[in-house]
C-alpha cells in the first residue's frame, strides 16, 4: 500500500508540473502573437499615414492596390500648367522703389480699406456692390467679366457698376492663391483682394407653362 501511494504521488506531481509548463508556454505564445499583431498594425498605420491627406476612397495605393472603381491611369487626366509665385511677385513689387513687376500688380492689400472682387454677374451682384460701397467710402470694388454681355444679360450696364464705385475689368481668372487672397487674370494682371465672390449662373431655365 505504501508503495502504491508513493507511485501515485509521483505521478500526480509530474502531471502538475506538466500542466504548469503547458500553461506557461501557452501564455508566452499568446503574448508573442499579440505583440506581432500590434507590430503589424502599427506598421500598416505608419505606412498609411501619408495618405490621410487625400479624400477617401482614393487611388493612391496605400495598400499597394489601386481600386478598380477609378479610371486610370491618373496621369492621363493631368495638365502641366505654368504657376506664378503670386505672393513673391507682390512682395517684390512692394519692395521696389521704381520698377514694376510682370505679371503686373494692379491692386495690393490696402491697409486703409478692404477690397471686394466679384467674378461674373448674377442677380445679386449689383445689389451687393451697391451695399458694400455705401457701407464706407474706404471700401474698394472690382468686377471681372469676360465681356460686356455678362452684364447686359442681367439687365445692367457698365455705368451701373461705375455708379457703385466698382471698377470693371474685361478678362477672366487664370490663377488664384486663396491662402493669400491674390487673383491673377488671363491678361496677367494681379489683383489682391479681401473678399472674392463668384457669380452663380443657373444651368437650366425654368419651363414656362403654355
Amino acid at each position: 500500500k505504501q508503495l502504491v501511494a508513493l507511485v501515485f504521488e509521483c505521478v500526480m506531481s509530474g502531471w502538475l508540473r506538466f500542466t504548469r509548463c503547458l500553461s506557461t508556454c501557452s501564455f508566452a505564445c499568446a503574448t508573442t502573437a499579440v505583440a506581432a499583431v500590434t507590430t503589424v498594425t502599427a506598421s500598416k498605420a505608419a505606412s498609411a499615414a501619408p495618405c490621410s491627406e487625400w479624400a477617401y476612397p482614393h487611388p493612391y495605393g496605400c495598400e499597394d492596390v489601386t481600386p478598380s472603381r477609378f479610371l486610370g491611369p491618373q496621369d492621363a487626366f493631368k495638365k502641366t500648367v505654368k504657376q506664378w509665385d503670386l505672393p513673391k511677385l507682390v512682395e517684390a513689387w512692394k519692395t521696389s522703389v521704381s520698377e514694376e513687376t510682370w505679371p503686373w500688380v494692379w491692386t495690393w492689400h490696402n491697409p486703409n480699406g478692404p477690397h471686394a472682387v466679384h467674378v461674373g454677374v448674377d442677380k445679386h451682384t449689383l445689389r451687393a456692390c451697391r451695399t458694400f460701397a455705401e457701407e464706407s467710402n474706404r471700401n474698394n470694388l472690382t468686377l471681372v467679366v469676360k465681356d460686356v454681355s455678362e452684364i447686359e444679360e442681367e439687365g445692367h450696364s457698365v455705368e451701373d457698376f461705375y455708379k457703385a464705385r466698382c471698377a470693371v475689368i474685361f478678362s477672366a481668372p487664370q490663377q488664384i492663391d486663396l491662402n493669400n487672397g491674390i487673383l491673377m487674370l488671363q491678361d496677367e494682371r494681379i489683383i489682391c483682394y479681401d473678399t472674392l465672390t463668384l457669380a452663380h449662373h443657373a444651368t437650366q431655365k425654368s419651363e414656362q407653362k403654355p
Side-chain angles (χ1 to χ4, degrees):
K1 290 182 179 179
Q2 292 180 352
L3 179 60
V4 172
L6 180 60
V7 171
F8 179 77
E9 183 179 353
C10 291
V11 170
M12 290 303 297
S13 177
W15 173 254
L16 290 173
R17 290 177 182 176
F18 173 75
T19 304
R20 287 179 182 175
C21 179
L22 184 61
S23 300
T24 303
C25 291
S26 299
F27 177 77
C29 291
T31 304
T32 303
V34 171
V37 170
T38 304
T39 302
V40 171
T41 304
S43 176
K44 285 186 176 181
S47 63
C51 293
S52 61
E53 63 180 298
W54 309 109
Y56 182 84
H58 53 72
Y60 292 120
C62 295
E63 314 234 341
D64 297 326
V65 176
T66 300
S68 59
R69 65 184 293 178
F70 295 106
L71 295 173
Q74 279 71 45
D75 289 342
F77 303 106
K78 292 181 180 179
K79 286 185 177 181
T80 301
V81 296
K82 178 174 63 176
Q83 292 285 321
W84 292 95
D85 190 337
L86 300 182
K88 188 174 182 179
L89 278 164
V90 173
E91 188 61 30
W93 176 84
K94 288 168 60 178
T95 56
S96 175
V97 177
S98 58
E99 295 181 347
E100 293 284 350
T101 60
W102 193 268
W104 177 34
V105 178
W106 191 68
T107 65
W108 65 309
H109 290 290
N110 186 351
N112 299 315
H115 184 197
V117 174
H118 291 262
V119 176
V121 180
D122 59 25
K123 62 182 181 180
H124 305 290
T125 307
L126 182 58
R127 182 169 65 251
C129 289
R130 286 171 173 167
T131 300
F132 189 70
E134 291 169 358
E135 287 176 355
S136 174
N137 290 330
R138 293 178 178 269
N139 291 349
N140 304 291
L141 281 157
T142 298
L143 173 66
V144 178
V145 290
K146 290 182 179 179
D147 53 57
V148 70
S149 65
E150 284 194 53
I151 299 175
E152 294 175 343
E153 286 175 0
E154 293 296 330
H156 308 310
S157 66
V158 176
E159 287 70 24
D160 291 330
F161 285 91
Y162 287 160
K163 290 177 182 178
R165 295 191 293 106
C166 182
V168 179
I169 301 175
F170 298 107
S171 188
Q174 178 68 27
Q175 182 180 335
I176 301 177
D177 186 332
L178 294 174
N179 291 329
N180 294 285
I182 306 174
L183 169 68
M184 188 180 79
L185 304 181
Q186 289 180 353
D187 62 5
E188 296 194 338
R189 181 186 332 220
I190 293 176
I191 300 175
C192 297
Y193 64 84
D194 295 284
T195 62
L196 177 66
T197 303
L198 305 180
H200 172 72
H201 297 283
T203 56
Q204 295 180 347
K205 294 183 179 179
S206 58
E207 296 183 357
Q208 294 183 354
K209 296 182 179 181

